[in-house]
Amino acid sequence: MPVQGTGLSILDSPFARKLTAFVDLSHDDLSVLSDVYRRRRSFAAGCDMIHQGQADQAAYIVASGWACSYKLLPDGTRQIVDFQIPGDFLGLRSVLLRTADHNVEPITRVQASEVNEQDLLDAFSQTPRLATAVLWAASRDEAMVVEHLVGLGRRNASERMAHFLLELGARLTLVGLADRKGYNCPLSQYQLADALGLSAVHVNRVLRELREEGMLSFQKGKVAFQNYEALVELSGFDRAYLDHQGPLLR
């Protein structure tokens, strides 16, 4: 069951890896999922995939590349709500609520499968297990938003940075793109600043302090965990909200 445009099985796709962490999907489920992947599109970095306020906006499943969701404020500043990685669903709310409430911008070149409202409804009617898995993924995304709010409101800059980079590592590990040593990361200090409510100067200072304390380094597009346990202790990182304990529905 190849993914269109690749020689890979649907099981090798980041989205399937992510969903099967929660629900054991049957051959029929995976066949339906493969159909959802059929329309593949490519987006250049910096060119919005989803536009705030647009009606009848398609959703996307990221196959490769990184993107960010953000809101523009009246004064032209922006708040990055989250970063999307391979395996993530973009714009699901935009499809179900029929109007996009945020923008999505590729940070790198993104390959993604376009999914419209009818695609989703057809897939969910054919396989409730797939619908359950997508509901889990959406619930997990909501849990991450809650953690980000806690970080912005109650964690200091070092705790906020450590928690965020640990969370990214856990998310990337789930789809085979990271381990306890670290991961490749295309984010700039300005993007981290927009996500964490800090200035770029403050981001630079915090990363330098974490490096000097022997906890992590973020250089040349690579996050390296030098003392994983110390980072967990510093940030109070508890990965239970990411629910990576294996399938609950078999």
Side-chain angles (χ1 to χ4, degrees):
M1 213 182 314
V3 179
Q4 185 177 15
T6 77
L8 299 176
S9 162
I10 188 65
L11 282 172
D12 295 315
S13 71
F15 190 53
R17 289 185 184 184
K18 180 177 175 178
L19 295 188
T20 53
F22 179 69
V23 175
D24 281 337
L25 298 176
S26 69
H27 183 275
D28 290 342
D29 297 330
L30 292 170
S31 179
V32 172
L33 184 58
S34 184
D35 288 342
V36 173
Y37 268 80
R38 68 184 182 277
R39 287 194 301 274
R40 183 63 61 86
R41 293 187 59 183
S42 179
F43 298 88
C47 183
D48 282 358
M49 303 166 60
I50 294 175
H51 301 271
Q52 186 174 327
Q54 183 174 343
D56 300 320
Q57 173 69 60
Y60 300 93
I61 300 170
V62 180
S64 64
W66 288 51
C68 68
S69 300
Y70 70 96
K71 298 275 286 189
L72 280 177
L73 303 179
D75 63 0
T77 58
R78 74 172 182 175
Q79 174 67 46
I80 291 180
V81 179
D82 200 5
F83 296 102
Q84 284 74 41
I85 61 172
D88 284 350
F89 220 132
L90 304 181
L92 181 60
R93 290 197 314 277
S94 302
V95 171
L96 298 178
L97 301 181
R98 301 182 180 177
T99 303
D101 63 355
H102 62 280
N103 302 283
V104 176
E105 175 189 334
I107 293 169
T108 67
R109 175 167 291 278
V110 166
Q111 294 283 336
S113 295
E114 185 179 67
V115 185
N116 60 34
E117 180 182 12
Q118 197 58 51
D119 292 331
L120 281 175
L121 296 178
D122 288 346
F124 292 170
S125 67
Q126 292 177 64
T127 167
R129 293 177 71 87
L130 181 58
T132 300
V134 171
L135 175 62
W136 164 80
S139 299
R140 178 174 169 271
D141 290 345
E142 182 181 356
M144 289 192 295
V145 171
V146 171
E147 282 295 323
H148 297 171
L149 287 173
V150 172
L152 288 171
R154 295 299 177 185
R155 295 187 181 106
N156 66 35
S158 295
E159 294 166 350
R160 203 179 307 172
M161 179 67 72
H163 193 281
F164 184 75
L165 294 178
L166 286 168
E167 179 187 90
L168 267 179
R171 292 170 61 192
L172 288 162
T173 297
L174 186 64
V175 294
L177 296 174
D179 56 31
R180 287 282 289 265
K181 294 181 180 179
Y183 51 91
N184 294 322
C185 182
L187 304 181
S188 71
Q189 292 187 1
Y190 292 100
Q191 289 161 340
L192 285 173
D194 284 349
L196 298 178
L198 304 170
S199 69
V201 172
H202 202 173
V203 166
N204 183 274
R205 182 165 64 248
V206 169
L207 289 174
R208 184 179 69 250
E209 290 171 353
L210 291 173
R211 183 175 68 252
E212 291 173 349
E213 291 169 4
M215 293 191 184
L216 69 80
S217 66
F218 186 0
Q219 296 176 314
K220 298 180 180 179
K222 173 74 175 180
V223 173
F225 296 134
Q226 297 164 331
N227 191 332
Y228 190 92
E229 290 74 18
L231 284 169
V232 169
E233 183 177 356
L234 169 69
S235 62
F237 182 66
D238 181 355
R239 59 187 296 161
Y241 72 98
L242 295 172
D243 192 19
H244 291 174
Q245 303 304 312
L248 298 180
L249 182 60
R250 298 183 183 276

Short mmCIF file of all heavy atoms in Angstrom, two decimals, residues 99-164:
data_model
loop_
_atom_site.label_atom_id
_atom_site.label_comp_id
_atom_site.label_asym_id
_atom_site.label_seq_id
_atom_site.Cartn_x
_atom_site.Cartn_y
_atom_site.Cartn_z
N THR A 99 -13.97 28.07 8.62
CA THR A 99 -13.22 29.32 8.49
C THR A 99 -11.91 29.16 9.25
O THR A 99 -11.91 28.74 10.41
CB THR A 99 -14.00 30.53 9.06
OG1 THR A 99 -15.25 30.63 8.40
CG2 THR A 99 -13.20 31.82 8.86
N ALA A 100 -10.80 29.54 8.61
CA ALA A 100 -9.50 29.42 9.25
C ALA A 100 -9.35 30.50 10.32
O ALA A 100 -9.58 31.68 10.04
CB ALA A 100 -8.39 29.55 8.21
N ASP A 101 -8.95 30.10 11.53
CA ASP A 101 -8.78 31.07 12.62
C ASP A 101 -7.32 31.40 12.87
O ASP A 101 -6.98 32.05 13.86
CB ASP A 101 -9.45 30.56 13.90
CG ASP A 101 -8.83 29.27 14.42
OD1 ASP A 101 -7.93 28.72 13.75
OD2 ASP A 101 -9.25 28.81 15.51
N HIS A 102 -6.43 30.95 11.98
CA HIS A 102 -5.01 31.25 12.12
C HIS A 102 -4.33 31.06 10.77
O HIS A 102 -4.93 30.54 9.82
CB HIS A 102 -4.37 30.33 13.16
CG HIS A 102 -4.43 28.87 12.79
ND1 HIS A 102 -5.56 28.11 12.97
CD2 HIS A 102 -3.51 28.05 12.23
CE1 HIS A 102 -5.33 26.87 12.54
NE2 HIS A 102 -4.10 26.82 12.08
N ASN A 103 -3.11 31.51 10.67
CA ASN A 103 -2.28 31.29 9.48
C ASN A 103 -1.33 30.13 9.73
O ASN A 103 -0.94 29.86 10.87
CB ASN A 103 -1.44 32.54 9.17
CG ASN A 103 -2.29 33.77 8.94
OD1 ASN A 103 -2.89 33.95 7.90
ND2 ASN A 103 -2.34 34.64 9.95
N VAL A 104 -0.93 29.47 8.64
CA VAL A 104 0.12 28.44 8.72
C VAL A 104 1.17 28.76 7.66
O VAL A 104 0.85 28.88 6.48
CB VAL A 104 -0.44 27.02 8.49
CG1 VAL A 104 0.71 26.01 8.48
CG2 VAL A 104 -1.44 26.65 9.58
N GLU A 105 2.40 28.92 8.12
CA GLU A 105 3.51 29.27 7.23
C GLU A 105 4.58 28.18 7.25
O GLU A 105 5.04 27.79 8.33
CB GLU A 105 4.14 30.59 7.67
CG GLU A 105 5.38 30.98 6.89
CD GLU A 105 6.09 32.18 7.48
OE1 GLU A 105 5.42 32.99 8.17
OE2 GLU A 105 7.31 32.30 7.28
N PRO A 106 4.99 27.67 6.10
CA PRO A 106 6.11 26.72 6.07
C PRO A 106 7.40 27.39 6.51
O PRO A 106 7.71 28.50 6.06
CB PRO A 106 6.18 26.29 4.61
CG PRO A 106 4.85 26.64 4.02
CD PRO A 106 4.41 27.86 4.76
N ILE A 107 8.14 26.75 7.39
CA ILE A 107 9.45 27.22 7.80
C ILE A 107 10.52 26.70 6.85
O ILE A 107 11.50 27.38 6.54
CB ILE A 107 9.74 26.78 9.24
CG1 ILE A 107 8.78 27.50 10.19
CG2 ILE A 107 11.18 27.04 9.64
CD1 ILE A 107 8.79 26.96 11.60
N THR A 108 10.32 25.48 6.38
CA THR A 108 11.14 24.88 5.34
C THR A 108 10.20 24.51 4.19
O THR A 108 8.99 24.70 4.30
CB THR A 108 11.84 23.61 5.84
OG1 THR A 108 10.83 22.61 6.11
CG2 THR A 108 12.62 23.87 7.12
N ARG A 109 10.73 23.98 3.12
CA ARG A 109 9.83 23.44 2.09
C ARG A 109 9.03 22.31 2.70
O ARG A 109 9.57 21.45 3.39
CB ARG A 109 10.61 22.94 0.87
CG ARG A 109 9.74 22.26 -0.19
CD ARG A 109 10.46 22.05 -1.48
NE ARG A 109 10.72 23.31 -2.16
CZ ARG A 109 9.84 23.96 -2.91
NH1 ARG A 109 8.62 23.45 -3.09
NH2 ARG A 109 10.16 25.09 -3.50
N VAL A 110 7.73 22.32 2.45
CA VAL A 110 6.82 21.34 3.04
C VAL A 110 6.16 20.52 1.94
O VAL A 110 5.68 21.07 0.95
CB VAL A 110 5.73 22.05 3.89
CG1 VAL A 110 4.58 21.10 4.22
CG2 VAL A 110 6.34 22.60 5.18
N GLN A 111 6.17 19.22 2.12
CA GLN A 111 5.36 18.31 1.31
C GLN A 111 4.19 17.88 2.17
O GLN A 111 4.38 17.43 3.30
CB GLN A 111 6.19 17.09 0.89
CG GLN A 111 7.34 17.38 -0.05
CD GLN A 111 6.87 17.62 -1.47
OE1 GLN A 111 5.80 17.14 -1.86
NE2 GLN A 111 7.66 18.35 -2.24
N ALA A 112 2.97 18.05 1.65
CA ALA A 112 1.79 17.74 2.45
C ALA A 112 0.67 17.21 1.58
O ALA A 112 0.59 17.53 0.39
CB ALA A 112 1.32 18.99 3.19
N SER A 113 -0.18 16.41 2.19
CA SER A 113 -1.37 15.90 1.50
C SER A 113 -2.55 16.80 1.81
O SER A 113 -2.84 17.08 2.98
CB SER A 113 -1.67 14.47 1.94
OG SER A 113 -0.63 13.60 1.54
N GLU A 114 -3.24 17.25 0.77
CA GLU A 114 -4.39 18.13 0.93
C GLU A 114 -5.64 17.31 1.26
O GLU A 114 -5.90 16.29 0.61
CB GLU A 114 -4.62 18.93 -0.35
CG GLU A 114 -5.70 19.96 -0.25
CD GLU A 114 -5.85 20.74 -1.55
OE1 GLU A 114 -6.28 20.12 -2.56
OE2 GLU A 114 -5.53 21.93 -1.57
N VAL A 115 -6.38 17.75 2.26
CA VAL A 115 -7.56 17.02 2.72
C VAL A 115 -8.72 18.01 2.84
O VAL A 115 -8.60 19.02 3.54
CB VAL A 115 -7.32 16.36 4.09
CG1 VAL A 115 -8.52 15.52 4.50
CG2 VAL A 115 -6.05 15.51 4.08
N ASN A 116 -9.82 17.74 2.15
CA ASN A 116 -10.97 18.63 2.27
C ASN A 116 -12.04 18.02 3.19
O ASN A 116 -11.88 16.92 3.71
CB ASN A 116 -11.56 18.98 0.89
CG ASN A 116 -12.05 17.75 0.13
OD1 ASN A 116 -12.54 16.79 0.73
ND2 ASN A 116 -11.93 17.78 -1.19
N GLU A 117 -13.10 18.75 3.40
CA GLU A 117 -14.14 18.32 4.33
C GLU A 117 -14.73 16.97 3.95
O GLU A 117 -14.91 16.09 4.80
CB GLU A 117 -15.25 19.37 4.39
CG GLU A 117 -16.40 19.02 5.33
CD GLU A 117 -17.49 20.07 5.33
OE1 GLU A 117 -17.48 20.95 4.45
OE2 GLU A 117 -18.36 20.01 6.21
N GLN A 118 -15.01 16.78 2.66
CA GLN A 118 -15.63 15.52 2.23
C GLN A 118 -14.68 14.34 2.40
O GLN A 118 -15.11 13.23 2.75
CB GLN A 118 -16.08 15.62 0.77
CG GLN A 118 -17.08 14.52 0.38
CD GLN A 118 -18.32 14.53 1.25
OE1 GLN A 118 -18.96 15.57 1.43
NE2 GLN A 118 -18.68 13.37 1.82
N ASP A 119 -13.38 14.58 2.17
CA ASP A 119 -12.38 13.53 2.41
C ASP A 119 -12.47 13.03 3.85
O ASP A 119 -12.47 11.82 4.11
CB ASP A 119 -10.96 14.07 2.18
CG ASP A 119 -10.67 14.40 0.73
OD1 ASP A 119 -11.27 13.77 -0.15
OD2 ASP A 119 -9.84 15.29 0.49
N LEU A 120 -12.54 13.98 4.78
CA LEU A 120 -12.59 13.62 6.20
C LEU A 120 -13.86 12.86 6.54
O LEU A 120 -13.83 11.82 7.20
CB LEU A 120 -12.49 14.87 7.06
CG LEU A 120 -11.11 15.49 7.26
CD1 LEU A 120 -11.22 16.79 8.05
CD2 LEU A 120 -10.20 14.51 7.99
N LEU A 121 -15.00 13.41 6.08
CA LEU A 121 -16.27 12.77 6.42
C LEU A 121 -16.35 11.37 5.83
O LEU A 121 -16.84 10.44 6.49
CB LEU A 121 -17.43 13.63 5.91
CG LEU A 121 -17.55 15.02 6.58
CD1 LEU A 121 -18.70 15.81 5.96
CD2 LEU A 121 -17.73 14.89 8.09
N ASP A 122 -15.87 11.20 4.60
CA ASP A 122 -15.88 9.88 3.97
C ASP A 122 -14.98 8.90 4.74
O ASP A 122 -15.37 7.75 4.99
CB ASP A 122 -15.40 9.97 2.51
CG ASP A 122 -16.43 10.64 1.60
OD1 ASP A 122 -17.59 10.79 2.03
OD2 ASP A 122 -16.05 11.02 0.48
N ALA A 123 -13.78 9.37 5.10
CA ALA A 123 -12.85 8.50 5.81
C ALA A 123 -13.40 8.10 7.18
O ALA A 123 -13.34 6.93 7.57
CB ALA A 123 -11.50 9.20 5.98
N PHE A 124 -13.99 9.05 7.89
CA PHE A 124 -14.51 8.76 9.22
C PHE A 124 -15.72 7.83 9.17
O PHE A 124 -15.92 7.01 10.07
CB PHE A 124 -14.88 10.04 9.94
CG PHE A 124 -13.71 10.92 10.31
CD1 PHE A 124 -13.90 12.21 10.77
CD2 PHE A 124 -12.41 10.44 10.19
CE1 PHE A 124 -12.81 13.01 11.10
CE2 PHE A 124 -11.31 11.24 10.51
CZ PHE A 124 -11.52 12.52 10.98
N SER A 125 -16.52 7.94 8.12
CA SER A 125 -17.68 7.06 8.00
C SER A 125 -17.26 5.63 7.66
O SER A 125 -17.93 4.68 8.04
CB SER A 125 -18.65 7.59 6.93
OG SER A 125 -18.07 7.53 5.64
N GLN A 126 -16.14 5.49 6.96
CA GLN A 126 -15.67 4.16 6.58
C GLN A 126 -14.94 3.45 7.72
O GLN A 126 -15.01 2.22 7.82
CB GLN A 126 -14.73 4.26 5.37
CG GLN A 126 -15.41 4.70 4.09
CD GLN A 126 -14.40 4.85 2.96
OE1 GLN A 126 -13.77 3.87 2.53
NE2 GLN A 126 -14.22 6.07 2.49
N THR A 127 -14.24 4.21 8.54
CA THR A 127 -13.45 3.59 9.59
C THR A 127 -13.48 4.42 10.87
O THR A 127 -12.69 5.37 11.02
CB THR A 127 -11.99 3.34 9.14
OG1 THR A 127 -11.19 3.03 10.29
CG2 THR A 127 -11.41 4.53 8.41
N PRO A 128 -14.38 4.08 11.79
CA PRO A 128 -14.44 4.80 13.07
C PRO A 128 -13.13 4.74 13.85
O PRO A 128 -12.82 5.66 14.61
CB PRO A 128 -15.56 4.08 13.82
CG PRO A 128 -16.41 3.48 12.75
CD PRO A 128 -15.46 3.09 11.65
N ARG A 129 -12.33 3.70 13.66
CA ARG A 129 -11.05 3.61 14.37
C ARG A 129 -10.11 4.72 13.92
O ARG A 129 -9.38 5.29 14.73
CB ARG A 129 -10.41 2.24 14.15
CG ARG A 129 -11.17 1.09 14.79
CD ARG A 129 -10.51 -0.24 14.46
NE ARG A 129 -9.26 -0.38 15.18
CZ ARG A 129 -9.15 -0.88 16.41
NH1 ARG A 129 -10.22 -1.28 17.07
NH2 ARG A 129 -7.97 -0.99 16.99
N LEU A 130 -10.14 5.03 12.63
CA LEU A 130 -9.32 6.12 12.13
C LEU A 130 -9.82 7.45 12.71
O LEU A 130 -9.02 8.31 13.10
CB LEU A 130 -9.35 6.16 10.61
CG LEU A 130 -8.52 7.25 9.93
CD1 LEU A 130 -7.05 7.15 10.34
CD2 LEU A 130 -8.66 7.17 8.41
N ALA A 131 -11.13 7.61 12.78
CA ALA A 131 -11.70 8.82 13.38
C ALA A 131 -11.27 8.95 14.84
O ALA A 131 -10.94 10.04 15.31
CB ALA A 131 -13.23 8.79 13.27
N THR A 132 -11.26 7.82 15.56
CA THR A 132 -10.83 7.83 16.96
C THR A 132 -9.37 8.26 17.07
O THR A 132 -9.00 9.04 17.94
CB THR A 132 -11.01 6.43 17.58
OG1 THR A 132 -12.38 6.06 17.52
CG2 THR A 132 -10.55 6.43 19.03
N ALA A 133 -8.54 7.76 16.16
CA ALA A 133 -7.11 8.11 16.19
C ALA A 133 -6.90 9.59 15.91
O ALA A 133 -6.07 10.24 16.56
CB ALA A 133 -6.36 7.26 15.17
N VAL A 134 -7.65 10.14 14.96
CA VAL A 134 -7.53 11.57 14.65
C VAL A 134 -8.03 12.41 15.82
O VAL A 134 -7.46 13.46 16.15
CB VAL A 134 -8.29 11.92 13.35
CG1 VAL A 134 -8.34 13.43 13.14
CG2 VAL A 134 -7.61 11.24 12.15
N LEU A 135 -9.10 11.94 16.49
CA LEU A 135 -9.59 12.64 17.69
C LEU A 135 -8.52 12.65 18.77
O LEU A 135 -8.31 13.67 19.45
CB LEU A 135 -10.86 11.95 18.21
CG LEU A 135 -11.43 12.49 19.53
CD1 LEU A 135 -11.85 13.93 19.38
CD2 LEU A 135 -12.62 11.63 19.97
N TRP A 136 -7.82 11.52 18.95
CA TRP A 136 -6.73 11.48 19.91
C TRP A 136 -5.66 12.49 19.55
O TRP A 136 -5.17 13.24 20.41
CB TRP A 136 -6.12 10.09 19.96
CG TRP A 136 -4.77 10.09 20.62
CD1 TRP A 136 -4.51 10.11 21.96
CD2 TRP A 136 -3.49 10.12 19.97
NE1 TRP A 136 -3.15 10.14 22.17
CE2 TRP A 136 -2.50 10.16 20.98
CE3 TRP A 136 -3.11 10.13 18.62
CZ2 TRP A 136 -1.14 10.19 20.68
CZ3 TRP A 136 -1.75 10.16 18.33
CH2 TRP A 136 -0.79 10.19 19.35
N ALA A 137 -5.27 12.53 18.26
CA ALA A 137 -4.22 13.46 17.84
C ALA A 137 -4.63 14.91 18.11
O ALA A 137 -3.82 15.72 18.56
CB ALA A 137 -3.91 13.26 16.36
N ALA A 138 -5.91 15.23 17.84
CA ALA A 138 -6.41 16.58 18.09
C ALA A 138 -6.42 16.89 19.59
O ALA A 138 -6.09 18.01 20.02
CB ALA A 138 -7.80 16.75 17.50
N SER A 139 -6.78 15.89 20.41
CA SER A 139 -6.79 16.09 21.86
C SER A 139 -5.38 16.30 22.37
O SER A 139 -5.14 17.12 23.28
CB SER A 139 -7.43 14.88 22.54
OG SER A 139 -8.77 14.72 22.14
N ARG A 140 -4.43 15.58 21.82
CA ARG A 140 -3.03 15.74 22.21
C ARG A 140 -2.52 17.13 21.86
O ARG A 140 -1.80 17.76 22.63
CB ARG A 140 -2.20 14.67 21.51
CG ARG A 140 -0.71 14.70 21.75
CD ARG A 140 -0.09 13.48 21.08
NE ARG A 140 1.35 13.54 21.04
CZ ARG A 140 2.04 14.09 20.04
NH1 ARG A 140 1.39 14.64 19.01
NH2 ARG A 140 3.35 14.09 20.05
N ASP A 141 -2.92 17.63 20.69
CA ASP A 141 -2.54 18.98 20.30
C ASP A 141 -3.11 20.01 21.27
O ASP A 141 -2.45 20.99 21.62
CB ASP A 141 -3.02 19.29 18.88
CG ASP A 141 -2.25 18.50 17.82
OD1 ASP A 141 -1.18 17.95 18.14
OD2 ASP A 141 -2.73 18.44 16.67
N GLU A 142 -4.35 19.77 21.72
CA GLU A 142 -4.96 20.67 22.69
C GLU A 142 -4.19 20.64 24.01
O GLU A 142 -3.98 21.69 24.65
CB GLU A 142 -6.41 20.28 22.93
CG GLU A 142 -7.15 21.19 23.90
CD GLU A 142 -8.59 20.76 24.13
OE1 GLU A 142 -9.04 19.80 23.48
OE2 GLU A 142 -9.26 21.40 24.97
N ALA A 143 -3.74 19.46 24.41
CA ALA A 143 -2.96 19.34 25.65
C ALA A 143 -1.65 20.11 25.54
O ALA A 143 -1.19 20.72 26.51
CB ALA A 143 -2.69 17.87 25.95
N MET A 144 -1.06 20.11 24.35
CA MET A 144 0.18 20.87 24.16
C MET A 144 -0.07 22.36 24.27
O MET A 144 0.75 23.11 24.83
CB MET A 144 0.81 20.51 22.82
CG MET A 144 1.41 19.12 22.78
SD MET A 144 2.46 18.81 21.34
CE MET A 144 1.27 18.92 20.01
N VAL A 145 -1.20 22.83 23.74
CA VAL A 145 -1.54 24.25 23.85
C VAL A 145 -1.66 24.65 25.31
O VAL A 145 -1.20 25.73 25.73
CB VAL A 145 -2.83 24.57 23.07
CG1 VAL A 145 -3.31 25.99 23.37
CG2 VAL A 145 -2.61 24.41 21.57
N VAL A 146 -2.29 23.78 26.11
CA VAL A 146 -2.43 24.06 27.55
C VAL A 146 -1.05 24.20 28.19
O VAL A 146 -0.79 25.12 28.98
CB VAL A 146 -3.23 22.95 28.25
CG1 VAL A 146 -3.18 23.11 29.76
CG2 VAL A 146 -4.68 22.96 27.77
N GLU A 147 -0.12 23.29 27.85
CA GLU A 147 1.23 23.36 28.39
C GLU A 147 1.93 24.64 27.96
O GLU A 147 2.68 25.26 28.73
CB GLU A 147 2.05 22.15 27.96
CG GLU A 147 1.75 20.89 28.74
CD GLU A 147 2.13 21.02 30.21
OE1 GLU A 147 3.16 21.65 30.53
OE2 GLU A 147 1.39 20.47 31.04
N HIS A 148 1.71 25.06 26.71
CA HIS A 148 2.33 26.30 26.23
C HIS A 148 1.80 27.50 27.01
O HIS A 148 2.55 28.43 27.33
CB HIS A 148 2.07 26.47 24.73
CG HIS A 148 2.67 25.40 23.89
ND1 HIS A 148 2.41 25.25 22.54
CD2 HIS A 148 3.54 24.40 24.21
CE1 HIS A 148 3.07 24.22 22.08
NE2 HIS A 148 3.77 23.68 23.06
N LEU A 149 0.51 27.49 27.32
CA LEU A 149 -0.07 28.58 28.11
C LEU A 149 0.55 28.62 29.51
O LEU A 149 0.86 29.69 30.04
CB LEU A 149 -1.59 28.41 28.21
CG LEU A 149 -2.39 28.72 26.95
CD1 LEU A 149 -3.86 28.36 27.16
CD2 LEU A 149 -2.28 30.20 26.59
N VAL A 150 0.72 27.45 30.11
CA VAL A 150 1.37 27.38 31.42
C VAL A 150 2.79 27.92 31.33
O VAL A 150 3.26 28.67 32.20
CB VAL A 150 1.36 25.94 31.95
CG1 VAL A 150 2.20 25.83 33.23
CG2 VAL A 150 -0.06 25.47 32.22
N GLY A 151 3.48 27.54 30.25
CA GLY A 151 4.84 28.00 30.07
C GLY A 151 4.93 29.51 29.96
O GLY A 151 5.77 30.16 30.60
N LEU A 152 4.04 30.09 29.16
CA LEU A 152 4.05 31.55 28.98
C LEU A 152 3.69 32.27 30.27
O LEU A 152 4.22 33.35 30.56
CB LEU A 152 3.06 31.93 27.88
CG LEU A 152 3.47 31.58 26.45
CD1 LEU A 152 2.31 31.81 25.49
CD2 LEU A 152 4.67 32.41 26.01
N GLY A 153 2.80 31.67 31.06
CA GLY A 153 2.31 32.36 32.25
C GLY A 153 3.13 32.13 33.50
O GLY A 153 3.23 33.02 34.35
N ARG A 154 3.73 30.93 33.65
CA ARG A 154 4.31 30.56 34.94
C ARG A 154 5.77 30.10 34.90
O ARG A 154 6.40 30.03 35.96
CB ARG A 154 3.45 29.47 35.59
CG ARG A 154 2.05 29.94 35.95
CD ARG A 154 2.11 31.08 36.95
NE ARG A 154 0.77 31.61 37.27
CZ ARG A 154 0.55 32.67 38.03
NH1 ARG A 154 1.58 33.31 38.55
NH2 ARG A 154 -0.67 33.08 38.27
N ARG A 155 6.30 29.73 33.76
CA ARG A 155 7.69 29.27 33.73
C ARG A 155 8.62 30.44 33.40
O ARG A 155 8.27 31.29 32.57
CB ARG A 155 7.87 28.15 32.70
CG ARG A 155 7.10 26.89 33.03
CD ARG A 155 7.43 25.74 32.08
NE ARG A 155 6.65 24.55 32.44
CZ ARG A 155 5.60 24.10 31.75
NH1 ARG A 155 5.22 24.72 30.63
NH2 ARG A 155 4.94 23.04 32.15
N ASN A 156 9.78 30.46 34.03
CA ASN A 156 10.75 31.48 33.66
C ASN A 156 11.36 31.13 32.30
O ASN A 156 11.07 30.07 31.73
CB ASN A 156 11.82 31.68 34.75
CG ASN A 156 12.71 30.45 34.93
OD1 ASN A 156 13.04 29.74 34.00
ND2 ASN A 156 13.13 30.22 36.17
N ALA A 157 12.19 32.01 31.78
CA ALA A 157 12.67 31.85 30.41
C ALA A 157 13.44 30.54 30.21
O ALA A 157 13.26 29.85 29.20
CB ALA A 157 13.54 33.04 30.03
N SER A 158 14.31 30.18 31.16
CA SER A 158 15.10 28.95 31.03
C SER A 158 14.20 27.72 31.09
O SER A 158 14.36 26.78 30.31
CB SER A 158 16.16 28.88 32.12
OG SER A 158 17.11 29.90 31.97
N GLU A 159 13.25 27.72 32.03
CA GLU A 159 12.31 26.60 32.15
C GLU A 159 11.46 26.48 30.89
O GLU A 159 11.20 25.37 30.41
CB GLU A 159 11.42 26.81 33.37
CG GLU A 159 12.16 26.75 34.69
CD GLU A 159 11.33 27.30 35.84
OE1 GLU A 159 10.26 27.90 35.59
OE2 GLU A 159 11.76 27.12 37.00
N ARG A 160 11.02 27.61 30.38
CA ARG A 160 10.18 27.64 29.19
C ARG A 160 10.91 27.05 27.98
O ARG A 160 10.38 26.23 27.24
CB ARG A 160 9.77 29.09 28.91
CG ARG A 160 8.52 29.26 28.09
CD ARG A 160 8.22 30.74 27.89
NE ARG A 160 8.19 31.48 29.16
CZ ARG A 160 8.10 32.79 29.26
NH1 ARG A 160 8.07 33.53 28.14
NH2 ARG A 160 8.06 33.38 30.43
N MET A 161 12.17 27.50 27.80
CA MET A 161 12.96 27.01 26.67
C MET A 161 13.22 25.51 26.79
O MET A 161 13.07 24.76 25.82
CB MET A 161 14.28 27.77 26.60
CG MET A 161 15.20 27.34 25.47
SD MET A 161 14.53 27.76 23.84
CE MET A 161 14.75 29.55 23.88
N ALA A 162 13.65 25.07 27.97
CA ALA A 162 13.96 23.66 28.17
C ALA A 162 12.73 22.79 27.94
O ALA A 162 12.80 21.76 27.25
CB ALA A 162 14.51 23.43 29.59
N HIS A 163 11.59 23.20 28.48
CA HIS A 163 10.36 22.43 28.33
C HIS A 163 9.96 22.34 26.86
O HIS A 163 9.60 21.27 26.35
CB HIS A 163 9.24 23.07 29.15
CG HIS A 163 8.03 22.20 29.32
ND1 HIS A 163 7.08 22.02 28.34
CD2 HIS A 163 7.61 21.44 30.37
CE1 HIS A 163 6.15 21.21 28.76
NE2 HIS A 163 6.44 20.83 29.99
N PHE A 164 10.06 23.46 26.16
CA PHE A 164 9.65 23.50 24.75
C PHE A 164 10.53 22.59 23.90
O PHE A 164 10.03 21.84 23.06
CB PHE A 164 9.71 24.93 24.25
CG PHE A 164 9.21 25.10 22.85
CD1 PHE A 164 7.85 25.06 22.58
CD2 PHE A 164 10.09 25.29 21.80
CE1 PHE A 164 7.39 25.21 21.27
CE2 PHE A 164 9.64 25.43 20.51
CZ PHE A 164 8.28 25.40 20.24
#
